[in-house]
Every structure is written in structure tokens, then in C-alpha cells.
Amino acid sequence: AKGAGRNTLRFFDPEMQAAATARAAMETDLRQGMLRDEFMLYYQCVVDAEGVPTGVEALLRWKHPQRGIVSPGEFIPIAEQTGLILPLGQWVLEAACAQLVAWSAKPHTQKLTMAVNVSARQFKHPEFSNHILNLLRLTGANPYRLKLELTESLLLSEFDEVIEKMSELRSIGVGFSLDDFGTGYSSLSYLKRLPLDQLKIDQSFVRDVLTDPNDAAIARTILNLAESLDLGVVAEGVETAGQHDFLLRNGCKAFQGYFFGRPVPVELLQLPNP
Ligand code: C2E
Ligand code: CA
Ligand code: CA
Ligand code: CA
């Protein structure tokens, strides 16, 4: 692969060169950040129809010494390209399970679920299931509280292996959500075969749900589809009471978005009262 890369740079392309240099710098920086323990998890509440938090989604942040808090959109793609997503993703799972264990000690937090984003590359690693099983065993976290969020890009290859892996983890209680639903490529026949628990309506459909009839139709279609496939649905990116009302009227029972709370460090989470 290295040789091929060199060949494609036969003609000097300053733009490509700059991008490659930036990527290499980011990779070095990411490695250092991991050694220096600069990553942390923010948590965003997922609420039920009454607005009561039933769980959270863990969202990775990088506390960069110079750049401040860096969003995952800026470094996850590079972590995926370089393979650093494997150790980083493992760290995320460990931290999330440790938090579940801490919550399990208190009656008012012990039922909370923890959603963790998993990259396709991470999920497809041959040891992924074993890593999860070991982690659950080691930490004592309840597998029924853990929900893994996968994206449709995962379905582009090795579909049978994906199903097998999901089924294995599901048999011990781990749940699965299909993230950013509606933005990818999954055909309905794929969807039916996947051992899923829920769909997450992508925030791009929620944003203009009140003003764009197409988005409203898509949101309604996803809600109906989930109902007929017996899947749960979480609407993402809910920012206003109007969006919430629309989704609620159309049968949505779980919500996530700034209207209910932004992603925050654990000590700032607004959880049910003791
Ligand atoms: P996502 O999984 O779709 O997460 C939802 C994103 O929407 C988060 O961005 C969240 O902060 C943002 N969000 C939540 N509510 C609202 C809202 O009401 N309005 C708007 N405009 N945005 C809202 P964030 O935290 O920047 O994460 C971006 C993406 O990075 C995530 O999208 C996910 O794909 C990825 N990511 C985050 N953490 C991890 C991780 O630990 N591992 C992996 N592999 N990917 C991660
Ligand atoms: Ca997600
Ligand atoms: Ca999403
Ligand atoms: Ca997204």
C-alpha cells in the first residue's frame, strides 16, 4: 500500500501534499494524546415520552493542550484511517462500562442505559466480540445496559459476519442501534435481517421536520417502519418543542437533543433525582 501511495504522488500535487502532511501531524498528535490521557467522555441524555432520562450516549472529546476541546468529527476519521480507532475505541468502551458500574451502585441511576458509538473498522476486528465479553466480565457492567451504535456503512461488506457478531453479543444482552438512519445505503431487506433493537432518526431529518414536507414524510416513514419491524426509535437532534411535538404525535417515544440537554461531562448530567 505504501508503494502505491508513492506512485500516486509521482506528479506533485500541493493540495494533496498538504492534506497528507496535516493527516500525518494529526496522527502523531493523536498517539501522543492517547499516551497523555487527553480523551474524555461527554454524555448526552436520551429521554422518554415524558422527558425523563432513560439513558445516555457517550460522546468522545479530546482535551487538547493547545486546541482545547476537540470534537470527534475532527479526529475520528483520521483515527479510523490510521487504525488508532482500535485502541481509542477500546478506551471509550472501558470508560463507558466503568461509568455504568458506578451508576449501578445507586438506585436512581442503576437502570440507565449507555449507548456507545462503534466504528465499522472497530466492529469488524476479529476480536471485537471477545473484547466486549472480557470487558463486561472484568468490569462487572450489566450487558443489558450497554447499547452499541453502528452505522449503515457497516453493511456494505461481510453482511453475514456482521449478523453473526451482533447475534453473539445480543445473546448475552448487549443491544444494537442503527445510527444516522436514513442517510446510508441500507435496503429494507437488509434491515429486516439485522438483529437490531432500535433505529436512530438522523438529525438531518429532524432539523426541518416542521418546515420541509419531505423531511416530515421521511421521519414519519421511519417511525412507521420501526413500528412494523418491532424496533425502537430514538429521534436525534431535537432542539425545539415544535420538533418534539411533531415526533411525539407521530409515535416517537425516545428523544435526544439540545432541547433536553447538551452533551456534558458526567458531573454536569441532569439525571433523575435520588
Ligand atoms: P452521532 O453518533 O450522530 O452523535 C450525535 C451528534 O450530534 C453529537 O456530535 C452530538 O453532540 C450532536 N447533537 C446532539 N444533540 C444535538 C442537537 O440537538 N443539535 C445538533 N445540531 N447536534 C446535536 P459530536 O459529539 O460532535 O459527535 C459527532 C460524531 O462523532 C458522532 O455522531 C459519532 O458518529 C462520532 N463519535 C462520537 N464519539 C464517538 C466514539 O466514541 N467512537 C466513535 N467511533 N465515534 C464517535
Ligand atoms: Ca451515535
Ligand atoms: Ca447519529
Ligand atoms: Ca452523525
Side-chain angles (χ1 to χ4, degrees):
K2 259 203 180 116
R6 212 174 286 136
N7 280 336
T8 57
L9 285 173
R10 201 161 26 150
F11 304 103
F12 182 75
D13 177 341
E15 226 167 86
M16 243 169 78
Q17 183 75 0
T21 308
R23 203 178 322 115
M26 172 72 97
E27 182 180 352
T28 308
D29 217 16
L30 268 174
R31 282 186 198 282
Q32 206 155 68
M34 289 175 63
L35 289 172
R36 292 183 183 162
D37 207 16
E38 290 169 0
F39 292 89
M40 66 180 297
L41 293 183
Y42 274 26
Y43 299 96
Q44 184 177 36
C45 281
V46 178
V47 305
D48 66 14
E50 276 78 50
V52 178
T54 55
V56 301
E57 177 175 359
L59 293 159
L60 187 57
R61 296 291 181 269
W62 184 3
K63 267 169 71 177
H64 194 282
Q66 279 90 44
R67 296 164 65 197
I69 304 281
V70 184
S71 294
E74 289 188 47
F75 62 86
I76 292 277
I78 291 166
E80 283 170 348
Q81 285 163 28
T82 56
L84 285 172
I85 194 66
L86 297 173
L88 193 56
Q90 183 65 19
W91 178 86
V92 169
L93 283 160
E94 281 169 27
C97 285
Q99 188 58 59
L100 271 181
V101 172
W103 282 338
S104 73
K106 301 207 180 86
H108 67 289
T109 51
Q110 68 186 3
K111 293 250 163 67
L112 292 171
T113 58
M114 173 71 70
V116 177
N117 294 286
V118 176
S119 287
R121 180 154 182 191
Q122 193 186 351
F123 185 79
K124 292 207 165 162
H125 190 278
E127 290 299 313
F128 182 76
S129 301
N130 282 334
H131 286 154
I132 298 277
L133 294 174
N134 286 335
L135 186 59
L136 290 168
R137 218 173 286 135
L138 262 145
T139 58
N142 184 343
Y144 286 90
R145 304 278 173 265
L146 183 62
K147 294 189 186 300
L148 302 181
E149 298 198 349
L150 306 175
T151 55
E152 289 165 276
S153 62
L154 193 80
L155 310 176
L156 294 177
S157 65
E158 302 160 59
F159 192 59
D160 293 328
E161 283 91 334
V162 168
I163 291 183
E164 199 181 318
K165 215 176 253 191
M166 287 175 74
S167 303
E168 183 186 0
L169 287 167
R170 231 165 154 243
S171 72
I172 63 153
V174 176
F176 284 93
S177 307
L178 199 53
D179 207 351
D180 304 342
F181 186 69
T183 62
Y185 315 84
S186 49
S187 76
L188 296 182
S189 64
Y190 274 11
L191 194 62
K192 219 178 77 182
R193 286 177 55 203
L194 276 184
L196 282 169
D197 297 280
Q198 64 179 14
L199 305 176
K200 296 189 80 170
I201 304 181
D202 190 66
Q203 47 187 281
S204 62
F205 306 119
V206 172
R207 191 178 308 128
D208 300 322
V209 84
L210 295 179
T211 51
D212 184 336
N214 291 324
D215 287 343
I218 291 171
R220 262 199 232 101
T221 302
I222 296 176
L223 285 161
N224 291 335
L225 179 69
E227 169 94 57
S228 42
L229 293 176
D230 203 18
L231 296 170
V233 191
V234 182
E236 293 192 291
V238 180
E239 295 186 352
T240 68
Q243 293 166 342
H244 179 226
D245 288 345
F246 175 92
L247 293 160
L248 202 56
R249 270 188 282 114
N250 285 282
C252 191
K253 295 182 182 73
F255 308 86
Q256 198 181 335
Y258 296 165
F259 185 60
F260 303 99
R262 291 184 174 254
V264 288
V266 68
E267 60 276 11
L268 297 179
L269 257 183
Q270 304 274 330
L271 293 173
N273 289 320

